[in-house]
Amino acid sequence: MTRPRTASPRGKTETLIGRKRRARRMARVLAETHPDAHCELDFTTPLELAVATVLSAQTTDVRVNQVTPELFRRYRSAADYAAADRSEMETLLRPTGFFRAKTDSLIKLGQALLDRHDGQLPRRLEELVALPGIGRKTANVILGNAFDVPGITVDTHFRRLTNRFGWVDEKDPVKIEFLVAELIEKRDWTMLSHRVIFHGRRVCHALKPACGACTLASACPSYGTGPTEAAAAAKLLKGPRARDLAVAAGVDPELVPVAAVLAPEEA
């Protein structure tokens, strides 16, 4: 039986086993590169995380975290969301965009939790995705970060990078999730999601990735999509650890401008 082959970082063909080994090497490097990777939505309970994730659609985690402290103070249970005054909640959610639709989702989410789950958030993906406002991506965020159930979160960064890495050749988020699940050990799924997202925000940008200052350069088939010269690449690094990222890639951290450290990361 002939195993499927794909392009490798050096233009050769790659077996499925070879791709799995390379993916796991890259995953280990990502763990070393982004030791601070974590869920960037603030929450203290599973319900709070579910709400924050619903609100994160079409906006940034930073904006959501600005809104949720007051929201969580006023609404502490599924019953509170189910009985919420629509105009009051819309006022609170207005900064997140699409506030009317999000208000509708949260009220219906509260009602559904009361009707189907005694007010508690379920721990099974099939039950989560049946709730208003919660799709597969949101469900995996909740499972992985609130319940410690491994899950792969396929957002725009994860989709872009896993294709660039040559792990998949696919646009459909669900297909990407299952394909990556075949490459990476289940225990690592949740943290891998965070690390890939961090890498996408800080290093592997959509339009111009910092290839010459990337710790994955030697294993990435898309090396050269962005500038490979150290000085040019270092200027593209973003975030509070931009200079640490340069050091990890063997690049002089002094090439990273102060503005890059202070610059907001990609949403």
Side-chain angles (χ1 to χ4, degrees):
M1 175 177 168
T2 302
R3 294 183 179 277
R5 295 175 179 268
T6 60
S8 74
R10 293 295 173 258
K12 301 177 182 179
T13 55
E14 182 178 51
T15 64
L16 176 58
I17 292 176
R19 184 163 71 253
K20 179 180 289 189
R21 289 173 177 167
R22 182 170 61 85
R24 293 187 178 187
R25 286 199 307 272
M26 294 175 78
R28 289 193 293 270
V29 173
L30 283 170
E32 296 168 356
T33 304
H34 303 287
D36 57 332
H38 62 281
C39 177
E40 295 189 286
L41 291 169
D42 295 337
F43 70 97
T44 59
T45 68
L47 179 60
E48 287 185 355
L49 178 57
V51 168
T53 309
V54 170
L55 297 183
S56 68
Q58 304 299 315
T59 190
T60 65
D61 292 349
V62 172
R63 180 60 56 86
V64 172
N65 290 339
Q66 292 171 344
V67 168
T68 50
E70 180 59 20
L71 184 73
F72 294 161
R73 187 186 70 80
R74 296 192 193 188
Y75 306 97
R76 298 178 181 274
S77 67
D80 292 335
Y81 285 98
D85 178 89
R86 185 174 296 272
S87 61
E88 179 181 285
M89 184 175 284
E90 286 182 355
T91 299
L92 282 175
L93 301 187
R94 183 180 293 271
T96 69
F98 302 95
F99 59 92
R100 291 189 179 90
K102 291 177 181 179
T103 295
D104 191 57
S105 291
L106 294 187
I107 291 175
K108 289 180 178 178
L109 173 61
Q111 293 169 344
L113 289 175
L114 288 178
D115 294 341
R116 306 177 202 169
H117 303 289
D118 296 323
Q120 300 301 309
L121 208 64
R123 296 176 177 234
R124 296 179 64 243
L125 186 143
E126 295 78 8
E127 293 175 325
L128 285 169
V129 297
L131 294 170
I134 296 182
R136 192 175 183 93
K137 182 183 79 172
T138 300
N140 277 322
V141 171
I142 295 167
L143 289 172
N145 296 282
F147 296 129
D148 292 325
V149 176
I152 295 173
T153 302
V154 183
D155 73 343
T156 55
H157 297 290
F158 196 93
R159 182 172 65 244
R160 182 179 78 251
L161 268 63
T162 52
N163 274 275
R164 276 185 176 168
F165 293 167
W167 294 3
V168 303
D169 182 11
E170 180 60 63
K171 293 183 178 180
D172 181 80
V174 177
K175 292 180 180 178
I176 292 172
E177 178 188 336
F178 283 103
L179 287 169
V180 174
E182 293 178 357
L183 301 176
I184 304 298
E185 292 181 294
K186 185 175 182 178
R187 66 187 181 190
D188 296 327
W189 289 353
T190 299
M191 286 308 302
L192 173 75
S193 300
H194 294 317
R195 291 161 185 157
V196 170
I197 291 169
F198 265 51
H199 202 69
R201 288 175 172 169
R202 299 179 173 190
V203 182
C204 195
H205 312 299
L207 297 180
K208 190 182 289 187
C211 292
C214 178
T215 55
L216 300 176
S218 64
C220 182
S222 298
Y223 178 74
T225 301
T228 59
E229 199 275 324
K235 293 178 181 178
L236 298 173
L237 297 175
K238 290 184 180 180
R241 296 188 62 255
R243 290 185 171 174
D244 294 329
L245 295 174
V247 172
V251 172
D252 182 356
E254 295 302 317
L255 294 174
V256 179
V258 174
V261 178
L262 302 176
E265 301 165 25
E266 289 185 39

